[in-house]
């Protein structure tokens, strides 16, 4: 039985008065708070050690940036004499991934299937000289441009009939159907022969099966450099507005694209983009 004094109960158990009870309650609260603090510290330490998927990225594989590219589009993405995948786009996205602390895995695919693969979740990002245009910006997130170059109307060296884009009306050009250059050629009234990439377009021109192709000027200059001459081709005209080429991700990968843009800015400021451009083109082509 316990006795009361005013409103405070008095325990019959030795040493268990009101002050002692408050002390034990405080101890319990202190232990609970300590456990909560330990749990929170462990949580944040675990997050710091997690891969990039915990940063809000939508990745095919945790900690890996799966990149779609052609692998046949020299000098941007290609194999040197059957060796490893190399090129301007390859080195730029590798540098970006390093900034994001991600590994890179390249998935080579035909250009005409590259957007379908991104939509289907096979890739995280496209790195293949994708030109920025309103239609693509409406459907995808596109990075700040890492290549800026005019388009070129490319014809056989001995051709004198095609001197400008207006001369394409009724002529046949070789184009990838999903490329920005396809829209340029069609806009000037050309009949388009579908091809898988640059190499096939050049082959059709040299065989006399098409009249021309519209493509990136840098592609032609590199091709002529590798051939040790003009390779039987020439530039009849250049576009007034340069092509601005970017990396592409789906709309639900905004955080990844934000960090890609931050990485590109850092690489531009520290001279990395200029260095890669000089390696392939003899100049900085990123601005």
């Amino acid at each position: 039985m316990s006795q009361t004094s005013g409103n405070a109960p008095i325990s019959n158990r030795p040493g268990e008065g009101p002050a002692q009870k408050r002390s034990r309650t405080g101890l319990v609260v202190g232990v609970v708070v300590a456990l909560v603090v330990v749990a929170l510290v462990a949580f944040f330490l675990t997050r710091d050690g997690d891969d990039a998927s915990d940063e809000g990225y939508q990745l095919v594989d945790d900690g890996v940036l799966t990149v779609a590219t052609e692998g046949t589009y020299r000098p941007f993405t290609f194999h040197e004499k059957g060796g490893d995948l190399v090129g301007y786009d390859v080195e730029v996205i590798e540098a970006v991934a390093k900034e994001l602390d991600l590994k890179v895995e390249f998935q080579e695919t035909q250009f005409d299937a590259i957007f379908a693969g991104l939509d289907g979740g096979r890739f995280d990002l496209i790195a293949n000289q994708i030109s920025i245009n309103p239609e693509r910006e409406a459907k995808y997130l596109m990075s700040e441009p890492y290549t800026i170059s005019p388009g070129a109307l490319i014809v056989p060296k001995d051709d004198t009939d095609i001197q400008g884009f207006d001369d394409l009306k009724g002529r046949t050009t070789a184009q990838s159907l999903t490329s920005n250059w396809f829209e340029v050629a069609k806009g000037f009234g050309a009949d388009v022969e579908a091809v898988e990439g640059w190499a096939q377009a050049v082959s059709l021109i040299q065989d006399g099966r098409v009249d021309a192709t519209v493509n990136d000027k840098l592609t032609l200059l590199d091709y002529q450099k590798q051939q040790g001459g003009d390779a039987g081709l020439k530039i009849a005209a250049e576009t007034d507005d340069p092509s601005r080429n970017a990396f592409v991700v789906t709309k639900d990968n905004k955080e990844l694209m934000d960090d890609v843009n931050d990485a590109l800015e850092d690489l531009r400021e520290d001279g990395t983009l200029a260095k890669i451009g000089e390696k392939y083109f003899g100049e900085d082509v990123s601005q």
Side-chain angles (χ1 to χ4, degrees):
M1 180 180 295
S2 64
Q3 299 176 345
T4 61
S5 176
N7 294 325
I10 301 175
S11 173
N12 289 326
R13 298 175 60 184
E16 198 176 58
Q20 179 69 12
K21 285 193 172 184
R22 286 196 298 272
S23 176
R24 292 182 63 185
T25 301
L27 178 61
V28 171
V29 171
V31 170
V32 171
V33 170
L35 290 173
V36 171
V37 170
V38 170
L40 288 173
V41 169
F43 172 76
F44 285 110
L45 285 176
T46 302
R47 283 184 61 83
D48 288 342
D50 278 351
D51 54 53
S53 65
D54 283 339
E55 298 300 322
Y57 302 165
Q58 305 297 316
L59 300 179
V60 175
D61 293 310
D62 290 344
V64 178
L65 186 65
T66 304
V67 177
T69 195
E70 275 183 282
T72 59
Y73 190 18
R74 190 184 187 110
F76 305 105
T77 163
F78 66 102
H79 291 269
E80 184 70 79
K81 297 180 180 178
D84 294 336
L85 183 69
V86 294
Y88 178 79
D89 285 44
V90 172
E91 291 199 26
V92 173
I93 195 58
E94 286 178 335
V96 167
K98 185 176 180 180
E99 290 284 314
L100 303 185
D101 197 27
L102 293 172
K103 296 178 182 179
V104 180
E105 180 179 319
F106 291 100
Q107 295 287 338
E108 296 178 42
T109 185
Q110 293 180 1
F111 187 82
D112 289 346
I114 210 164
F115 285 98
L118 183 67
D119 293 337
R122 292 174 53 202
F123 322 122
D124 303 315
L125 177 147
I126 299 174
N128 204 91
Q129 287 295 293
I130 304 299
S131 299
I132 299 172
N133 63 34
E135 292 76 19
R136 288 172 181 160
E137 287 183 307
K139 187 172 182 181
Y140 302 98
L141 297 178
M142 306 193 74
S143 72
E144 292 298 315
Y146 61 94
T147 312
I148 299 176
S149 173
L153 173 55
I154 301 163
V155 299
K157 183 181 179 180
D158 58 359
D159 185 283
T160 58
D161 295 328
I162 301 177
Q163 299 182 16
F165 287 96
D166 289 335
D167 295 325
L168 285 180
K169 187 174 183 179
R171 306 277 184 170
T172 303
T173 68
Q175 311 292 155
S176 294
L177 296 182
T178 54
S179 76
N180 201 46
W181 306 122
F182 164 77
E183 299 295 340
V184 173
K186 289 292 289 184
F188 282 98
D191 297 322
V192 173
E193 177 79 16
V195 295
E196 294 177 1
W198 164 255
Q200 189 177 355
V202 169
S203 178
L204 291 178
I205 293 175
Q206 292 173 334
D207 291 344
R209 295 170 59 189
V210 300
D211 301 303
T213 185
V214 182
N215 215 297
D216 193 287
K217 179 181 178 180
L218 294 177
T219 304
L220 173 65
L221 295 181
D222 176 78
Y223 179 75
Q224 291 175 329
K225 176 182 175 183
Q226 298 302 320
Q227 296 297 314
D230 56 36
L233 302 171
K234 69 177 182 180
I235 295 176
E238 296 182 8
T239 55
D240 293 332
D241 296 324
S243 173
R244 300 165 64 248
N245 302 311
F247 299 125
V248 185
V249 303
T250 53
K251 287 280 191 178
D252 62 350
N253 231 342
K254 183 179 185 302
E255 191 161 346
L256 173 61
M257 183 53 74
D258 288 343
D259 287 352
V260 166
N261 281 327
D262 288 344
L264 284 172
E265 183 60 27
D266 290 342
L267 295 170
R268 186 173 287 108
E269 290 180 357
D270 69 15
T272 299
L273 291 185
K275 183 178 180 181
I276 298 173
E278 288 165 2
K279 175 179 178 179
Y280 288 97
F281 308 107
E283 62 183 78
D284 182 6
V285 297
S286 68
Q287 52 191 353

